[in-house]
Amino acid sequence: MTRTDDDDRLARGLPPVLDRFFSITGRQTTVSREVRGGVTTFVAMAYIVLLNPLVLGASADVTGARLDPAQITTATALSAAVMTVLMGLVGNAPLAVAAGVGINGVVAFQMAPAMTWAQAFGLVVLEGVCIVLMAASGVRERIMNAIPLPLKTAITVGIGLYLALVGLVSAGFVTRVPDSANSPVPVRLGEGHLAGWPIAVFCFGLLLMVVLVARKVAGALLISIAVTTVLAVVLHEGFGVGGWGRTDPALPDHVLGAPDFGLFGTVDLVGGFVSAGPIAATVFLFTLVLSGFFDAMGTITSVSQEAGLAKDGKVPGMGRILFVDGAGAIAGGVTGSSPNTVFLESAAGVGEGARTGLASVVTGGMFAITLLFTPLMTVVPAQAAAPALVVIGGMMMAQCRGIPWTDSDYTIPVFLTAAIIPFTYSITNGVGAGLISFVLVKTCTGRWREAGWLLTVLAAVFAVYFGVHGIELLFR
């Protein structure tokens, strides 16, 4: 009698339905590897539950209102849990989804000051709808293939610099010079010098994180945040040290607690066009779409290649993966956590053997469990969480090695992309500058066909984006 595939599955204790749904045998993996990979991915990216409140909580909306850290924590964990499970079930890929680091800065620092939080989250929902439509029509995939790899890499590098700057500013390690108009430099180290226990705690956390990452310790970021938070709590509770900023490391009354869903559903889809004006709101929406678009583009490709899922540069099920990624933006707006996107830390789980969506289901389940620990999460001060932004920025900078710096077609466009993102606190500005300069170089050297019609159209759109305020003034 010939052994069948079902016989082999049963011999390994693998239910046939589970195997067929996730293609576990077909991708040459096992349930234990998927579970281990899912747990590893969660440990590698659980810091987002602590970090997202830091970024979103650092800004006030047009009315001066600030978001409650406990509510942001709940929203972050909820959206990550739901969307990561959905990625596993629909996309069948070992890709975890959570509030995007970088694009949350667009919501906090560019949009909120011009409108209410509900209106900002409404634009986030509209962004998700746009991305889903682009994914369904195939436009998103065509644009992904049209943009040259060096420019994609430069976007990653620029976002890394941007995150590092946000982290340094949030911790107070870098501050704005009070009268920067009359100063040769706009920012400075601390208050002109480094002093105080909170800064010392940040430096300790940063150095600890650097060492743990260098030693390739699993969950290095999360471990460092936890240890640094304990140190901050001891200093605050035991010695009365203050000056931590918006979040004091005070012990909560309870470790476990009911999640606060206060931000869920606080969405105003059209109010932003009234508060900020139709042109500004449209630009914000355009910024969100582009930021979310390019943020996920390289991550999906690189993690899929690492997992051995990409064939001839194409990822199987890319349409479904892009659809879930777009839906993540909608979920981010509805929950109040900012746009959700695929996380590069998914590569940690892939390194432990994850190859299917089962790993994502495991990761999502663990995010769901964290909803019960939101009181504990709100203890973390900026000085303990900010080092993660700096270290992640450093990791993203490593992509520089793949940039052809000696190719004059790319040197300046790549530089402008990477530099303008952190200098202007805007991912979109950097992407626009890079695309415009690249198309200009190709056109002025008589090789405009190499840029292609799609990039030329995008460059023209960005040119309008940069000049929209000047055009608006002409017609007043």
Side-chain angles (χ1 to χ4, degrees):
M1 182 180 292
T2 304
R3 286 179 63 89
T4 64
D5 289 340
D6 283 350
D7 292 330
D8 291 335
R9 297 184 190 108
L10 291 173
R12 299 197 310 266
L14 183 60
V17 174
L18 186 68
D19 187 28
R20 291 194 186 99
F21 189 86
F22 290 109
S23 301
I24 294 175
T25 299
R27 296 188 182 180
Q28 299 180 334
T29 182
T30 64
V31 172
S32 60
R33 287 180 187 171
E34 297 303 303
V35 172
R36 187 170 65 246
V39 172
T40 300
T41 294
F42 171 77
V43 172
M45 63 180 287
Y47 67 85
I48 189 59
V49 180
L50 306 172
L51 207 58
N52 199 39
L54 171 65
V55 176
L56 292 182
S59 181
D61 70 7
V62 70
T63 67
R66 291 181 179 271
L67 298 178
D68 180 80
Q71 293 180 348
I72 305 174
T73 301
T74 296
T76 305
L78 175 64
S79 58
V82 173
M83 294 314 304
T84 301
V85 170
L86 193 63
M87 178 63 79
L89 297 178
V90 177
N92 192 24
L95 299 168
V97 180
V101 182
I103 195 170
N104 54 2
V106 174
V107 176
F109 304 118
Q110 293 180 237
M111 295 170 57
M115 61 186 71
T116 67
W117 286 109
Q119 292 164 353
F121 291 135
L123 287 183
V124 170
V125 172
L126 293 179
E127 173 225 345
V129 172
C130 291
I131 291 180
V132 167
L133 292 176
M134 291 172 69
S137 64
V139 171
R140 187 177 186 185
E141 197 165 352
R142 284 197 290 272
I143 295 177
M144 285 176 65
N145 295 331
I147 297 176
L149 181 59
L151 289 184
K152 295 177 186 176
T153 303
I155 295 169
T156 301
V157 173
I159 293 174
L161 290 169
Y162 171 53
L163 294 180
L165 181 58
V166 170
L168 293 171
V169 171
S170 297
F173 191 87
V174 170
T175 62
R176 181 185 290 110
V177 175
D179 187 13
S180 56
N182 296 320
S183 173
V185 292
V187 294
R188 61 185 178 181
L189 188 68
E191 297 298 325
H193 56 273
L194 297 179
W197 280 108
I199 294 295
V201 168
F202 166 76
C203 293
F204 167 79
L206 178 60
L207 295 176
L208 174 62
M209 197 173 290
V210 168
V211 171
L212 294 179
V213 169
R215 293 181 64 87
K216 295 180 170 55
V217 175
L221 274 61
L222 189 61
I223 292 172
S224 176
I225 291 174
V227 172
T228 308
T229 298
V230 170
L231 175 60
V233 169
V234 170
L235 290 172
H236 180 73
E237 297 284 6
F239 299 93
V241 173
W244 301 97
R246 293 191 63 236
T247 303
D248 288 328
L251 289 174
D253 296 331
H254 306 284
V255 173
L256 295 175
D260 187 343
F261 296 101
L263 290 178
F264 189 88
T266 56
V267 176
D268 183 348
L269 294 177
V270 297
F273 292 90
V274 177
S275 294
I279 294 179
T282 301
V283 171
F284 286 139
L285 179 58
F286 183 60
T287 301
L288 285 176
V289 171
L290 289 177
S291 299
F293 184 100
F294 291 109
D295 192 41
M297 182 170 54
T299 301
I300 294 172
T301 302
S302 61
V303 175
S304 297
Q305 289 177 337
E306 184 71 18
L309 301 179
K311 298 176 182 177
D312 299 324
K314 297 182 178 179
V315 180
M318 175 62 91
R320 295 191 302 274
I321 293 173
L322 291 176
F323 178 85
V324 176
D325 179 70
I330 298 176
V334 172
T335 59
S337 62
S338 81
N340 279 224
T341 188
V342 174
F343 258 58
L344 187 60
E345 282 77 4
S346 302
V350 168
E352 287 294 326
R355 296 294 182 271
T356 75
L358 180 58
S360 295
V361 173
V362 172
T363 303
M366 297 193 72
F367 271 115
I369 294 174
T370 63
L371 284 168
L372 301 175
F373 294 90
T374 50
L376 192 61
M377 301 294 183
T378 56
V379 176
V380 182
Q383 290 76 11
L389 287 174
V390 179
V391 170
I392 292 171
M395 292 176 176
M396 296 173 77
M397 278 289 294
Q399 298 294 323
C400 279
R401 65 180 179 273
I403 295 175
W405 292 107
T406 57
D407 188 337
S408 58
D409 286 357
Y410 292 107
T411 304
I412 300 303
V414 162
F415 168 74
L416 289 175
T417 301
I420 289 178
I421 289 176
F423 290 164
T424 64
Y425 257 51
S426 171
I427 298 171
T428 306
N429 289 348
V431 174
L435 284 179
I436 290 174
S437 58
F438 176 73
V439 171
L440 184 65
V441 167
K442 290 294 187 181
T443 301
C444 293
T445 54
R447 293 171 292 147
W448 62 271
R449 287 188 177 86
E450 293 181 14
W453 70 268
L454 188 53
L455 286 189
T456 302
V457 170
L458 283 176
V461 171
F462 272 113
V464 174
Y465 163 72
F466 285 126
V468 67
H469 293 297
I471 296 172
E472 184 181 20
L473 290 173
L474 288 176
F475 291 95
R476 282 185 177 178

